[in-house]
Amino acid sequence: MNFEELFKQIIAFTKNLNKRQKIVIISAIVALVAIISFLVVFNTTSSKTKTGYAILFDNLSSKDAALIVQYLDKKQIPYVIPEDGVIEVPKDVVQKIRLDVAAQGLPKSSKVGFELFDKNSFGITDFEQKVKYLRALEGELGRTIESLDAVESATVNIAIPKDSVFVEKQTPPTASVVIKLKPNMVLTPKQIQGIKYLVAAAVPKMKPENVKIIDQYGNLLGENDELTQNNELLKAEIIYKKRMEKALEDKIVSILAPVIGGKNKVVAKVNLDIDFSQVKSKSTIYSPDNVVRSEQTLEESRTGYKPKEVGGVPGAVSNVGPVQGTKSNEVKDKYTKSQTTTNYEISTTVKDVKEPLAKIKRITAAVVVDGHYKEDKDGKKEFVPLTKLELTNIENLVKNTIGYDPKRGDSVSVSSFQFTGNSANNEPTSAVGKVMQSVQMYLGPISGILKYLFLAIVLFVFYKKVITPFTQKMLEVKIEEEPEYVKPDIEINEEEVESTYDKIKELKEKVEQQLGISSDVNEEELKYEVLLDRIVKMAEEKTEEVAKVLENLIKEETHEV
């Protein structure tokens, strides 16, 4: 690249600019330099990172930072503390120093998980093993909770009571969680409930209601779960109701717009009475068709005499029973019994019905449409409302659109009124207005796409017709042609020169005669002296013109050479 030529082009370009353009360019350059300087200074002051240094640890507590600084001073390792809780060391040794510091058990306040069991310790008691396990479990739960977007740090404390042989005296385990939230971040009720279930699932026999959560300000979280859930449910129900009403209104307007003459001639409002209660019902239905499952028949029969009975007047004779073996004139006794039992199988149907969560109880719709406009004798347009037949047809369309059900008590009202925005004064009367109205009617649904397409075309034309020529013009270097130098005419009056010459000649002859000197006069020398005298006098009187003549002569001689 020829920098000398580029520098000349830049100088020529700046000469071609007017004062206003120069001010604009200089202001833009100054603003650009100021912005770049501000960004550089801001990044330097905000990061405060020394060149060649990297972060060793961040988010440290004051105790851990003091211990780490003490270790670095002991090892004579250079470090920088750009802000609270951040320590930086030389970039080339940051990994080694981090391992050395970790070997010293620093930072102490950092969470430890099940890596506590990576090293085997001989002679450890059962109590110490349980404490290490509990500490590891708390650290793992804290790390898991910190993985949430809204949580900056979390501390989990678990209390496990001693086991008791008596069931009545057993105490369930409990847990407390302290959460530090990020700025401008909150936990939703579902997230709070999820944290409770997460902690409860990690500890045996722990229930979610035994987990308490507070934030960094000491506010108890998740205690009003039922109230919060009800509020959230109420918001969801309102949003759902508005969305359903808006959908039905759009359906009514879209189906009536082509008939009435546009969306601006129809106004529809729908009100839904929705039952959000969830009902569960269970019913048992017995079938009338019976099927014989089993049948039992029992028959009994007996034949013989009645047993003898002892009776009569008290005494010896009556005490003697009947004599066996003697004939009796009594009739034989006969006994017969028949019993039949039939078991029928009854067919039953058990239904467990769960009704939908959102059930429409009633729909009410109000529709207002514009009428017709007719010209009177004076040429003015008068409003004419729709006829009853037209209103009835529109009402039937609306009923079919919203799913009208008279059993639910639904109601639809259709009226015809004059719209202020569509009055006779605003009706298009010219052909151009009617064409624009038709275009709006057919191109209205895709107006958003057309808007962005038109914007893209305008930007493209602006780039081609304005930016590109301006850029080319700014990059061009105009070489101005030097105007031809017009030689200034220095007029010398020849008659004046001749008269002066004659006078000087006469005076010179007289002086020579008086002095007795020869009168031989060289006319050429005399003329040269006169011209030289005149030129000197003219140079004194017209200095600028004489300078231009000399400059022109020098240029001509230079070109010839």
Side-chain angles (χ1 to χ4, degrees):
M1 181 182 289
N2 192 349
F3 291 99
E4 184 178 357
E5 187 67 24
L6 180 62
F7 187 69
K8 289 181 180 179
Q9 290 180 0
I10 293 173
I11 293 175
F13 170 71
T14 54
K15 288 182 179 179
N16 295 332
L17 298 175
N18 55 26
K19 186 177 180 181
R20 193 175 200 179
Q21 292 175 335
K22 290 180 179 178
I23 293 173
V24 172
I25 293 175
I26 293 173
S27 302
I29 293 173
V30 171
L32 182 62
V33 172
I35 291 172
I36 294 174
S37 302
F38 172 75
L39 292 176
V40 171
V41 174
F42 178 77
N43 290 333
T44 304
T45 55
S46 61
S47 62
K48 298 181 181 179
T49 303
K50 204 171 181 179
T51 306
Y53 279 67
I55 295 176
L56 179 65
F57 291 106
D58 58 355
N59 296 326
L60 292 172
S61 63
S62 300
K63 294 182 179 179
D64 287 339
L67 293 174
I68 293 174
V69 168
Q70 185 178 359
Y71 175 78
L72 295 176
D73 290 336
K74 182 179 179 181
K75 296 295 183 180
Q76 296 182 355
I77 299 173
Y79 62 88
V80 177
I81 304 177
E83 58 185 42
D84 292 339
V86 179
I87 299 176
E88 296 178 356
V89 295
K91 189 182 297 183
D92 52 348
V93 294
V94 62
Q95 298 296 339
K96 181 179 180 302
I97 297 175
R98 189 173 294 164
L99 293 175
D100 295 340
V101 172
Q104 303 298 321
L106 299 174
K108 292 183 178 296
S109 62
S110 61
K111 295 178 178 63
V112 291
F114 286 105
E115 62 269 13
L116 278 173
F117 297 94
D118 292 342
K119 295 181 180 179
N120 295 324
S121 300
F122 293 100
I124 188 170
T125 63
D126 185 52
F127 176 76
E128 291 176 344
Q129 188 78 3
K130 290 181 179 180
V131 172
K132 286 179 66 175
Y133 173 77
L134 188 61
R135 183 184 174 192
L137 182 60
E138 292 173 348
E140 293 292 338
L141 288 174
R143 290 175 181 175
T144 306
I145 297 172
E146 286 176 358
S147 63
L148 299 177
D149 293 335
V151 179
E152 182 175 340
S153 63
T155 303
V156 180
N157 295 315
I158 300 174
I160 299 179
K162 292 182 179 181
D163 295 333
S164 176
V165 295
F166 301 101
V167 178
E168 295 179 354
K169 294 184 179 181
Q170 288 183 355
T171 306
T174 58
S176 61
V177 182
V178 180
I179 294 176
K180 182 179 180 182
L181 300 175
K182 294 179 181 178
N184 302 323
M185 297 290 286
V186 294
L187 289 174
T188 62
K190 291 184 178 180
Q191 290 176 327
I192 297 173
Q193 188 177 7
I195 293 173
K196 287 188 173 184
Y197 276 92
L198 175 69
V199 176
V203 181
K205 299 180 182 180
M206 182 178 288
K207 297 180 180 179
E209 54 267 21
N210 291 332
V211 180
K212 305 301 178 182
I213 304 174
I214 62 172
D215 59 6
Q216 68 266 34
Y217 305 109
N219 299 323
L220 194 61
L221 305 178
E223 287 304 304
N224 297 325
D225 288 340
E226 186 176 356
L227 179 61
T228 305
Q229 290 178 2
N230 291 336
N231 293 335
E232 293 292 332
L233 182 61
L234 181 59
K235 291 179 182 178
E237 291 175 356
I238 294 174
I239 293 173
Y240 177 80
K241 182 174 181 293
K242 290 183 178 180
R243 190 181 301 166
M244 291 292 294
E245 291 174 349
K246 184 66 169 57
L248 292 177
E249 292 170 1
D250 293 340
K251 287 176 67 176
I252 295 173
V253 173
S254 62
I255 198 172
L256 293 181
V259 180
I260 303 301
K263 292 184 178 181
N264 57 342
K265 292 189 175 183
V266 183
V267 176
K269 293 297 178 183
V270 177
N271 183 35
L272 295 177
D273 186 6
I274 302 177
D275 183 11
F276 290 98
S277 60
Q278 194 171 12
V279 180
K280 294 181 181 180
S281 60
K282 187 175 182 180
S283 60
T284 304
I285 301 173
Y286 297 94
S287 176
D289 300 330
N290 298 327
V291 179
V292 177
R293 184 179 64 178
S294 62
E295 187 174 3
Q296 265 184 342
T297 303
L298 178 64
E299 293 183 357
E300 295 180 1
S301 62
R302 187 182 64 185
T303 303
Y305 293 99
K306 288 184 178 181
K308 297 291 183 177
E309 295 181 359
V310 178
V313 180
V317 178
S318 60
N319 291 335
V320 179
V323 180
Q324 298 292 333
T326 58
K327 288 184 177 181
S328 176
N329 295 325
E330 294 181 1
V331 182
K332 293 183 177 180
D333 186 15
K334 293 183 178 181
Y335 172 76
T336 303
K337 181 181 178 182
S338 177
Q339 182 180 359
T340 302
T341 303
T342 304
N343 296 323
Y344 293 92
E345 185 69 32
I346 302 174
S347 178
T348 59
T349 302
V350 178
K351 289 185 178 181
D352 193 358
V353 181
K354 184 178 180 180
E355 296 184 1
L357 181 62
K359 184 179 179 181
I360 298 176
K361 296 174 63 178
R362 188 168 180 264
I363 301 177
T364 56
V367 181
V368 180
V369 295
D370 197 9
H372 304 295
Y373 293 91
K374 292 184 179 180
E375 293 185 0
D376 56 5
K377 296 180 180 179
D378 299 333
K380 295 182 179 180
K381 291 190 176 183
E382 293 182 354
F383 172 75
V384 178
L386 299 180
T387 61
K388 292 184 178 181
L389 180 61
E390 292 174 332
L391 293 176
T392 303
N393 294 332
I394 293 174
E395 184 177 350
N396 293 331
L397 285 175
V398 174
K399 288 181 178 180
N400 293 330
T401 302
I402 64 175
Y404 177 82
D405 188 1
K407 295 180 180 179
R408 290 185 309 206
D410 298 347
S411 64
V412 176
S413 174
V414 180
S415 304
S416 178
F417 294 100
Q418 181 180 1
F419 283 21
T420 305
N422 295 327
S423 60
N425 296 330
N426 295 328
E427 283 291 323
T429 56
S430 62
V432 177
K434 293 180 180 178
V435 170
M436 293 301 296
Q437 187 177 10
S438 301
V439 170
Q440 177 66 24
M441 182 183 299
Y442 293 106
L443 298 181
I446 58 173
S447 59
I449 300 174
L450 293 177
K451 179 173 65 176
Y452 291 110
L453 181 62
F454 177 74
L455 181 61
I457 294 172
V458 170
L459 291 176
F460 179 76
V461 173
F462 179 77
Y463 175 77
K464 286 293 184 182
K465 297 296 183 183
V466 179
I467 296 178
T468 303
F470 178 75
T471 306
Q472 293 176 354
K473 187 176 180 182
M474 294 287 285
L475 295 177
E476 288 178 357
V477 179
K478 295 182 179 180
I479 301 175
E480 294 184 352
E481 298 180 358
E482 295 182 359
E484 295 182 358
Y485 185 77
V486 182
K487 297 180 180 180
D489 295 334
I490 301 176
E491 297 180 358
I492 299 175
N493 195 345
E494 293 182 358
E495 294 180 357
E496 186 179 354
V497 172
E498 289 293 334
S499 62
T500 305
Y501 170 71
D502 293 339
K503 291 179 180 179
I504 293 174
K505 187 177 179 181
E506 292 177 357
L507 291 172
K508 191 173 183 180
E509 288 179 352
K510 288 181 179 180
V511 172
E512 287 179 351
Q513 287 177 2
Q514 292 176 0
L515 296 174
I517 304 172
S518 177
S519 60
D520 296 333
V521 179
N522 190 349
E523 295 181 0
E524 295 296 331
E525 292 180 359
L526 187 58
K527 287 183 178 180
Y528 177 76
E529 292 177 358
V530 173
L531 286 173
L532 183 60
D533 185 57
R534 292 292 299 175
I535 289 171
V536 171
K537 187 181 292 186
M538 189 178 295
E540 293 176 354
E541 294 177 356
K542 302 179 179 180
T543 308
E544 294 181 0
E545 294 181 0
V546 173
K548 289 181 180 180
V549 171
L550 294 175
E551 184 180 358
N552 191 18
L553 290 173
I554 293 170
K555 287 183 179 180
E556 287 179 356
E557 290 179 0
T558 305
H559 289 305
E560 289 176 0
V561 173

